Amino acid sequence: MFEHLKKIGAERHKDAIAALALVCLAFCIRILFISKGPLHFDALELAMRGSETQETLQLHYMHWPGYPLAVIIASIFIFLMKLIKMHDPVFAVNFMSVIFGSFTIGIFYLFARKMLDRYGALLASVMLCFLPLHFSLSLYGMSHTLSIAMYLTGVYFMILYLETYRLNILLFSAMILGCGAAVRINDSTVLLAVLFLYLIKSHKAGLISKKSIFCRLLLFLTVYTLTIVVFYLPLLFQKGLFHFADGSTYWYQHNIGVLFFVVRYIIPEVLSMPGTMILFAGVGYFLLKGSKVFFYFLLMWFLSSFCYYASCNTYQYRYLLLSFIPL
C-alpha cells in the first residue's frame, strides 16, 4: 500500500514539474511577441475601463454584457504595473493575457492528464501552446484568455472532486466556474458539459447516495450562481434586465445557415489539415481505448459552445477558441 501511495506521489510530482515547464515555455514564447499596441477595439476598451476602475475604485463595465471580472483583473494588472513604473495600461492588459494564456497551457496539461497518458497530455498541451488562435489572443489584452483559464481550472477541480468527493473541492470548482462566467458569461455553455460529467460520474461511482448527489448539485449551482450575481448585481441595478435582454437579442441570430458557413469556411481557416487529422485520430482513440464518459463530456463541451457561437451574429474566429479546447 505504501509503495502504491509513493508511486502516486511520484507521478503527481512529475506532472507538476511538466505543467510548470509548459507554463514557462508558453510564457517565454509569448513575452517575446507581446503586442506593442491594443490590436483590437475590445483590448483598448478593456485597458480604458481597467484604468478608470483602478483610478476611481469604482467598477466600470465594458460593452454588453459588461465583463465585470475581466475589468477587475485588468485594473489589478494596471495597478501592479504602475508599482514598477510602467504606466501604459495597454501594455498592462497585454501582459495580463500573456500570464493567463501561459497559465492555461499548464492547467490544460493537468486537465488532459486525467484522460491521457503523460505523452498524450504533453502532445495536446504543446499543440494548444502553438495553436495560432490561442497564441495570438495571448499577446494582447482580451477577455478570452481569462475565461478559458478559469473554465479549465474549474473543470479540472470538478474532475478532482469526482476522484475524491471532497466537498471543498466541489465548492472551489463552482466558484472558479462562476468567475469564468463573470469574465465572459457567453462562455457559460460549458456548464452543460460539466453537469453531465458530474451526474454520470457520481452515479457510476456509487460512493455517495443519490440524495447526496442531488444535494451537492444544488449546492454547486448555488455557489456558481452567487459568484456570478456578486459581479453582475451592480450592473443590474444600473441598467436593469433589459440590458441583458437587448444584448442577447443582438447576439443570437437563430440562423442555421450561419452554422454551415462556420463549418465550411472558418474551421478550415483555423485548423490545419495535419491538425484536423490528429483530432480525428483522437476521436478514434477515445472511442476504442479511452473513457466513454470523458469522450461524451468533451463532445458536449465542443457542441454546446460551438453551436452557440456559430449561430450568433458574428463571424470572428476568436469566439470559437473555447470550442477548440476539448478538440
Side-chain angles (χ1 to χ4, degrees), residues 27 70 72 74 77 118-119 152 167 181 198 282 307:
F27 176 80
I72 292 173
F77 270 83
R118 182 167 291 111
Y119 297 109
L152 266 175
L167 188 59
Y198 170 86
C307 289

Side-chain angles (χ1 to χ4, degrees), residues 48 67 158 227 312:
M48 292 168 60
Y67 308 97
M158 172 58 79
T227 304
C312 285

Side-chain angles (χ1 to χ4, degrees), residues 93 164 220 267:
V93 296
T164 62
F220 170 85
I267 288 186

Side-chain angles (χ1 to χ4, degrees), residues 24 35 37 55 96 138 175 194 249 313 316 318 327:
C24 293
S35 171
E55 291 171 358
M96 172 195 73
S138 300
M175 185 182 67
V194 173
T249 302
N313 187 22
Q316 299 193 45
R318 57 194 173 95
L327 291 182

Side-chain angles (χ1 to χ4, degrees), residues 51-271:
S51 185
E52 292 169 353
T53 299
Q54 188 269 322
E55 291 171 358
T56 63
L57 298 182
Q58 292 183 345
L59 183 57
H60 288 71
Y61 294 92
M62 294 176 63
H63 56 277
W64 188 92
Y67 308 97
L69 187 53
V71 175
I72 292 173
I73 296 174
S75 68
I76 292 172
F77 270 83
I78 291 170
F79 172 74
L80 294 176
M81 290 292 105
K82 285 183 176 180
L83 291 180
I84 57 175
K85 307 301 180 182
M86 299 186 71
H87 298 279
D88 183 4
V90 171
F91 177 82
V93 296
N94 290 348
F95 186 71
M96 172 195 73
S97 277
V98 168
I99 293 294
F100 277 87
S102 303
F103 171 77
T104 294
I105 307 305
I107 195 68
F108 177 80
Y109 169 80
L110 297 176
F111 165 76
R113 189 68 179 87
K114 295 298 181 180
M115 295 168 254
L116 303 168
D117 59 27
R118 182 167 291 111
Y119 297 109
L122 280 171
L123 174 61
S125 302
V126 171
M127 288 176 65
L128 179 61
C129 182
F130 292 100
L131 180 70
L133 187 57
H134 185 269
F135 182 78
S136 61
L137 286 175
S138 300
L139 303 181
Y140 59 103
M142 299 293 282
S143 59
H144 301 277
T145 50
L146 306 180
S147 171
I148 289 172
M150 290 184 181
Y151 277 108
L152 266 175
T153 303
V155 171
Y156 171 70
F157 276 94
M158 172 58 79
I159 296 174
L160 284 184
Y161 163 74
L162 293 171
E163 292 177 347
T164 62
Y165 289 94
R166 291 170 54 186
L167 188 59
N168 60 326
I169 297 179
L170 178 68
L171 298 181
F172 185 74
S173 172
M175 185 182 67
I176 295 299
L177 287 169
C179 287
V183 170
R184 289 187 58 83
I185 200 167
N186 314 70
D187 291 344
S188 56
T189 52
V190 173
L191 186 65
L192 296 174
V194 173
L195 294 178
F196 167 82
L197 184 66
Y198 170 86
L199 291 172
I200 298 299
K201 278 281 189 180
S202 298
H203 177 72
K204 291 186 69 172
L207 298 178
I208 57 177
S209 66
K210 292 183 179 179
K211 181 180 179 180
S212 295
I213 292 174
F214 179 73
C215 290
R216 291 191 176 197
L217 175 61
L218 285 181
L219 185 59
F220 170 85
L221 291 174
T222 300
V223 173
Y224 172 80
T225 304
L226 287 176
T227 304
I228 300 173
V229 169
V230 165
F231 291 101
Y232 278 104
L233 195 59
L235 183 61
L236 283 173
F237 281 122
Q238 288 178 22
K239 299 187 177 182
L241 288 173
F242 290 108
H243 171 74
F244 291 92
D246 293 342
S248 61
T249 302
Y250 166 78
W251 264 89
Y252 200 64
Q253 190 167 305
H254 298 283
N255 185 356
I256 197 66
V258 178
L259 180 62
F260 291 121
F261 177 87
V262 172
V263 172
R264 174 63 180 85
Y265 295 103
I266 292 185
I267 288 186
E269 288 289 330
V270 176
L271 300 179

